Amino acid sequence: MSEARERLAASRFLIVDIELPEEASPDEQPVAHQLGLEAEDLAWLGREGEAVRAEFLGESAGFVVPVVEAGQVAHIHAFVTERYLVTVHRGPVEAIGSLTARLPRERPSDTVATLFLLLEEALETFRRSAVQALLEVEDLEDEMFQQRRPQQVYRLARLRRRAALLHHSLLPYLEATDETLTRRTMSGSFPEERQRLARSYQRAARSVLTDIASLQDASRRAFVSYSPSCPANRTA
């Protein structure tokens, strides 16, 4: 943390990733204070239980980004300025490793471009989870067409809960980012390249929501069609 603080004060293009313990300790110091960023309104950075966030803070921006990690929803906190990008999360997060792997290939031009790569990686975790669950629903439908078993209905119910979790976790965040990015791009001070990145991200976000909606529809139809409580199945 001390080395990161020194480099934040001196470097012109820096990415700092901080992995905190999965549970906050009672004497845990605020991350912003440890990094020497106490001049900013950053009490939320790294704080456990923070709600999703997407806001511009003058010449900087702050995000609390949901990601799917091992079937659960975790959050990455991100603070970006023209000079650096700081990410904070509790426990390991695969999306950070994926972002790091993309950097040599993508060669982002600045910290804001790097931030958009992170936002894309977060969306991709939701897409992968939704697509995997949709394939599971289709496999279950095939199995239940041959022979219906009680545990299959339980698995369908579990997949419906996963669809609800994905939708409930992602939608408020996408509404916040869409409002913030739309307002920013309409301000006239947002560079053209960043407008392009914002539009690309918004298209990807809508696509992921469509994938989750497809999962919700498929799991609902399968559950209604093959549930033991369905009248057609009781008379079959």
Side-chain angles (χ1 to χ4, degrees), residues 156-174:
L156 275 176
R158 180 177 55 80
L159 290 168
R160 287 185 66 186
R161 289 196 297 271
R162 186 189 303 181
L165 173 66
L166 295 177
H167 187 266
H168 179 76
S169 301
L170 187 62
L171 184 60
Y173 164 73
L174 292 187

Side-chain angles (χ1 to χ4, degrees), residues 88-193:
V88 185
H89 48 92
R90 294 195 174 273
V93 174
E94 185 178 348
I96 294 296
S98 299
L99 171 65
T100 303
R102 289 180 64 179
L103 293 178
R105 181 175 69 253
E106 301 282 349
R107 295 184 178 275
S109 58
D110 56 22
T111 53
V112 175
T114 308
L115 170 70
F116 276 104
L117 288 180
L118 172 64
L119 301 185
E120 290 175 7
E121 286 297 332
L123 284 179
E124 189 60 27
T125 66
F126 279 86
R127 184 193 303 279
R128 287 195 297 268
S129 184
V131 169
Q132 179 185 357
L134 182 58
L135 292 174
E136 290 182 40
V137 170
E138 293 175 350
D139 289 343
L140 272 172
E141 285 186 301
D142 289 340
E143 292 179 19
M144 296 172 78
F145 182 78
Q146 300 296 327
Q147 183 177 1
R148 195 176 69 235
R149 301 182 180 88
Q151 62 267 34
Q152 293 165 334
V153 177
Y154 167 77
R155 290 165 63 191
L156 275 176
R158 180 177 55 80
L159 290 168
R160 287 185 66 186
R161 289 196 297 271
R162 186 189 303 181
L165 173 66
L166 295 177
H167 187 266
H168 179 76
S169 301
L170 187 62
L171 184 60
Y173 164 73
L174 292 187
E175 289 177 342
T177 55
D178 190 61
E179 178 182 353
T180 297
L181 292 175
T182 299
R183 186 169 62 249
R184 186 65 169 171
T185 54
M186 293 178 64
S187 69
S189 61
F190 209 46
E192 178 60 33
E193 174 60 18

